[in-house]
Amino acid sequence: MNDALRTALTRLRLSGLAGTLDVRLQEAAGHALGHAEFLELVLQDELLVRNERLVARRTKSAGFREPKTLEDFDWQFNPSIKRKQVFDLATGRFIREARDLLLIGPPGTGKSHLAQALGHQAIKSGFVVLYRSIFDVVRDFLHDEALSGQDKTLDRYLRPDLVIIDDMGMKQLPKRSGEYLFEIIMRRYQVRSTLMTSNRPLEDWGKLIGDVPAATAILDRFLHNAEVIAITGRSYRLRNRGGKEPAVAEPAACETDKK
């Protein structure tokens, strides 16, 4: 590749094409490729690089706690998780249909791993994702409310195709938490998908939020069009420790008004 061509590709911001052009030129000569075939190959190279960069940017913007994937999940440790069901969710169909998803079960059984892995797969499928723990959600709203920037914060939670709210039930939340969570769920209801994880039964959410009516309203909308995966079993993090694991209440259904 001569300097003039390299400069032109740089000015056009075709770095993917530039990185493989020499190899493609040799391939074209060796296989007697036609002009259209050659052009298709080099454009595919450029598109591949651009897609990889887009995925990297969206992954960073999503704010995942850890880089988790479905490939590195230990499916043998917890057989209560249905692999086929999870991989069906990984297709992104529930996001395209604006349905919600709840992963509920004891601590350490893989909920956060699966939530982040599904989020990462969604990004690879072209969706925009935001990952936040429930504590991050409350801090975001409390901070920006003090700075009169609550509308900007809410917009951040409304724009993504998938919002993941992790760790519901780790501890009781501050006052007004129910208001913030209700606003997110209500505004995303049947418009965008929301994925939540919880290690506490749904009937405990009123106590966690400190507002039973708000918890009822949240669950009424969230569960109306949601797929619920109840996970049981041992804690992966405590698998190598001796003795008994701490007792945790099993997931329980919550009756809500579906009208």
Side-chain angles (χ1 to χ4, degrees):
M1 187 193 328
N2 59 48
D3 291 340
L5 180 55
R6 189 183 305 277
T7 299
L9 293 175
T10 300
R11 292 182 63 183
L12 290 171
R13 299 182 180 180
L14 297 174
S15 58
L17 191 159
T20 62
L21 184 57
D22 286 333
V23 173
R24 292 303 191 190
L25 286 169
Q26 294 180 28
E27 183 179 359
H31 294 84
L33 297 180
H35 294 96
E37 293 175 300
F38 173 74
L39 181 60
E40 181 181 356
L41 286 174
V42 294
L43 290 180
Q44 286 177 347
D45 292 338
E46 178 63 32
L47 289 173
L48 178 62
V49 169
R50 292 192 179 196
N51 184 66
E52 289 174 347
R53 289 174 179 169
L54 178 62
V55 168
R57 287 197 304 271
R58 288 184 173 179
T59 300
K60 182 178 180 179
S61 179
F64 295 118
R65 185 184 301 163
E66 299 171 289
K68 298 294 188 180
T69 66
L70 293 177
E71 288 72 25
D72 59 24
F73 187 76
D74 188 352
W75 299 96
Q76 301 299 319
F77 181 79
N78 196 342
S80 75
I81 301 173
K82 298 177 181 178
R83 185 169 183 169
K84 182 178 183 299
Q85 183 181 20
V86 174
F87 275 90
D88 181 64
L89 291 167
T91 65
R93 183 173 59 186
F94 82 101
I95 303 175
R96 288 187 289 272
E97 296 173 352
R99 293 187 289 112
D100 298 323
L101 175 63
L102 173 65
L103 305 179
I104 186 167
T109 50
K111 300 183 301 299
S112 292
H113 185 137
L114 290 175
Q116 293 178 90
L118 288 172
H120 185 260
Q121 188 62 42
I123 290 174
K124 292 171 65 176
S125 297
F127 297 108
V128 176
V129 177
L130 175 65
Y131 171 88
R132 304 295 280 164
S133 75
I134 185 62
F135 312 110
D136 293 328
V137 174
V138 175
R139 279 195 295 266
D140 288 345
F141 277 89
L142 287 174
H143 177 266
D144 284 0
E145 185 179 70
L147 299 176
S148 300
Q150 190 171 349
D151 290 341
K152 182 178 180 181
T153 302
L154 181 59
D155 183 62
R156 182 188 181 196
Y157 282 87
L158 298 182
R159 283 185 286 106
D161 301 299
L162 174 65
V163 166
I164 301 171
I165 301 178
D166 203 1
D167 297 329
M168 185 67 183
M170 292 297 289
K171 62 182 180 180
Q172 190 167 358
L173 297 170
K175 291 182 179 180
R176 300 201 64 188
S177 299
E179 296 178 33
Y180 307 140
L181 185 57
F182 175 72
E183 192 69 20
I184 295 171
I185 297 300
M186 179 186 69
R187 298 282 290 273
R188 294 183 61 83
Y189 175 59
Q190 295 187 327
V191 178
R192 299 280 190 275
S193 293
T194 304
L195 188 165
M196 295 185 70
T197 74
S198 176
N199 59 30
R200 295 284 291 276
L202 299 181
E203 60 263 28
D204 288 354
W205 281 29
K207 296 177 182 178
L208 293 169
I209 294 174
D211 187 336
V212 174
T216 301
I218 290 167
L219 290 171
D220 178 62
R221 286 165 176 77
F222 182 65
L223 295 179
H224 177 248
N225 199 29
E227 184 167 349
V228 179
I229 298 180
I231 301 174
T232 59
R234 299 173 295 154
S235 168
Y236 184 81
R237 289 187 289 270
L238 300 179
R239 66 194 183 283
N240 294 323
R241 295 186 182 182
K244 296 182 178 180
E245 298 177 13
V248 178
E250 292 294 327
C254 177
E255 293 295 331
T256 57
D257 181 10
K258 299 295 187 292
K259 296 180 181 180

